[in-house]
């Protein structure tokens, strides 16, 4: 699995009572100094506090039993990292921006005729129209544009399956099926039925990074773990460049909200 930068700490030992606001859906919301708006997500399997930025919002995954004081302590310790340049929101979209990789080409344009973000054209040459009064830096706009871009990518995902078939044939691996996923965070997965799922988001990276993810998942056909044997196999599939390709993918500037 390939993830965007995350700040992680273990649970604090202290436990003082603290309260936070909740939305109608049960999502807890906090405004924390130097960090800003924080969405608290409780997860039964979480053992640590994991924070990720989504646009101008920080999403903090916490152990199910964490108290308000635990969460406040975690945010105090995470604040320096969340305020660093690496974790600050970056500008994803701009008027006139062209997003282009093999199989997909789309331009972002502010328009006085659009009352909501809308796609025009096809994946080979599309235009994504955005209302002029909508800020491209807002979380609302970035989420809406990401949704439309992912829909466009899914329509062109046959490009990924074709490349994946060629990569599998080159290295002599045979998954039982290739599938296309909708998520933006998990770029690939391989299950016990030898089915490999590739995220449609891979349409927005260069072909050599697409191939790296494919090789990673193909290696799981032999090693369903991330052991030294797995990495040795993946490295062989990647021509000895697994480490360099993994680092390049981690640093990649996605034109999507992830």
């Amino acid at each position: 699995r390939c993830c965007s930068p995350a700040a992680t700490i273990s649970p604090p030992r202290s436990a003082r009572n603290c309260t936070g606001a909740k939305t109608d859906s049960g999502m807890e919301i906090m405004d924390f100094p130097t960090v800003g708006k924080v969405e608290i997500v409780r997860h039964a399997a979480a053992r640590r506090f994991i924070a990720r930025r989504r646009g101008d919002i920080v999403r903090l995954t916490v152990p199910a039993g964490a108290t308000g004081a635990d969460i406040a302590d975690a945010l105090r310790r995470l604040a320096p990292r969340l305020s660093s340049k690496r974790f600050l929101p970056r500008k994803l979209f701009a008027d006139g921006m062209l997003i282009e990789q093999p199989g997909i080409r789309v331009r972002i344009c502010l328009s006085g005729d659009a009352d909501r973000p809308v796609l025009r054209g096809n994946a080979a040459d599309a235009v994504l129209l955005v209302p002029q009064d909508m800020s491209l830096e807002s979380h609302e706009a970035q989420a809406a544009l990401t949704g439309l871009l992912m829909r466009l990518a899914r329509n062109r995902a046959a490009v990924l399956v074709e490349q994946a078939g060629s990569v599998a044939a080159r290295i002599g691996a045979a998954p039982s099926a290739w599938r296309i996923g909708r998520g933006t965070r998990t770029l690939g997965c391989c299950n016990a039925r030898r089915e490999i799922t590739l995220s449609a988001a891979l349409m927005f990276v260069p072909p050599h990074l697409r191939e790296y993810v494919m090789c990673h998942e193909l290696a799981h056909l032999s090693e369903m773990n991330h052991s030294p044997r797995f990495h040795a196999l993946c490295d062989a599939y990647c021509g000895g460049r697994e480490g360099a390709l993994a680092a390049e993918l981690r640093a990649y500037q996605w034109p999507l909200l992830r």
Side-chain angles (χ1 to χ4, degrees), residues 11-244:
R13 295 180 180 177
S14 61
R16 298 179 303 277
N17 291 328
C18 181
T19 59
K22 290 189 177 182
T23 65
D24 292 340
S25 64
M27 177 78 73
E28 297 174 60
I29 305 293
M30 294 181 67
D31 281 309
F32 197 84
T34 75
V35 174
K37 186 178 180 181
V38 181
E39 293 181 349
I40 310 299
V41 180
R42 295 183 182 274
H43 198 291
R47 296 292 179 268
R48 295 176 297 173
F49 292 84
I50 302 174
R52 290 188 175 92
R53 279 200 180 271
R54 291 182 64 82
D56 54 356
I57 298 173
V58 171
R59 176 165 292 184
L60 181 69
T61 301
V62 308
T67 67
D70 292 337
I71 293 169
D73 277 346
L75 285 170
R76 273 191 289 272
R77 288 188 282 167
L78 288 169
R81 277 178 279 176
L82 291 170
S83 301
S84 69
K85 184 177 179 180
R86 183 173 181 236
F87 285 94
L88 289 176
R90 68 181 179 87
K91 190 173 183 179
L92 293 178
F93 306 110
D95 185 27
M97 175 182 176
L98 177 65
I99 301 170
E100 186 172 20
Q101 293 294 345
I104 199 163
R105 186 177 192 272
V106 58
R107 189 178 297 277
I108 310 295
C109 294
L110 292 175
S111 170
D113 297 327
D115 58 1
R116 68 184 189 283
V118 61
L119 275 169
R120 292 285 185 265
N122 55 56
D125 192 13
V127 177
L128 207 170
L129 301 176
V130 184
Q132 283 185 331
D133 60 354
M134 177 176 277
S135 169
L136 291 173
E137 297 183 15
S138 71
H139 184 268
E140 176 191 11
Q142 292 181 357
L145 268 59
T146 293
L148 290 171
L149 289 169
M150 285 295 291
R151 187 176 77 187
L152 191 67
R154 289 193 296 274
N155 290 339
R156 292 290 293 165
V159 172
L160 296 176
V161 175
E162 182 180 357
Q163 182 182 358
S166 297
V167 173
R170 172 177 64 80
I171 64 181
S176 63
W178 293 100
R179 305 191 186 283
I180 298 299
R182 293 173 171 268
T184 59
R185 298 201 58 77
T186 299
L187 300 180
C189 65
C190 176
N191 63 29
R193 296 186 298 276
R194 299 177 64 82
E195 298 168 339
I196 293 178
T197 300
L198 301 173
S199 169
L202 290 171
M203 289 297 297
F204 297 103
V205 302
H208 67 285
L209 291 181
R210 297 176 186 175
E211 182 168 342
Y212 160 67
V213 175
M214 294 165 187
C215 288
H216 183 107
E217 300 309 328
L218 287 166
H220 278 312
L221 294 175
S222 300
E223 299 289 338
M224 289 292 285
N225 51 51
H226 290 105
S227 66
R229 287 199 307 178
F230 164 83
H231 286 293
L233 184 60
C234 185
D235 191 52
Y237 288 172
C238 295
R241 299 186 61 233
E242 182 203 19

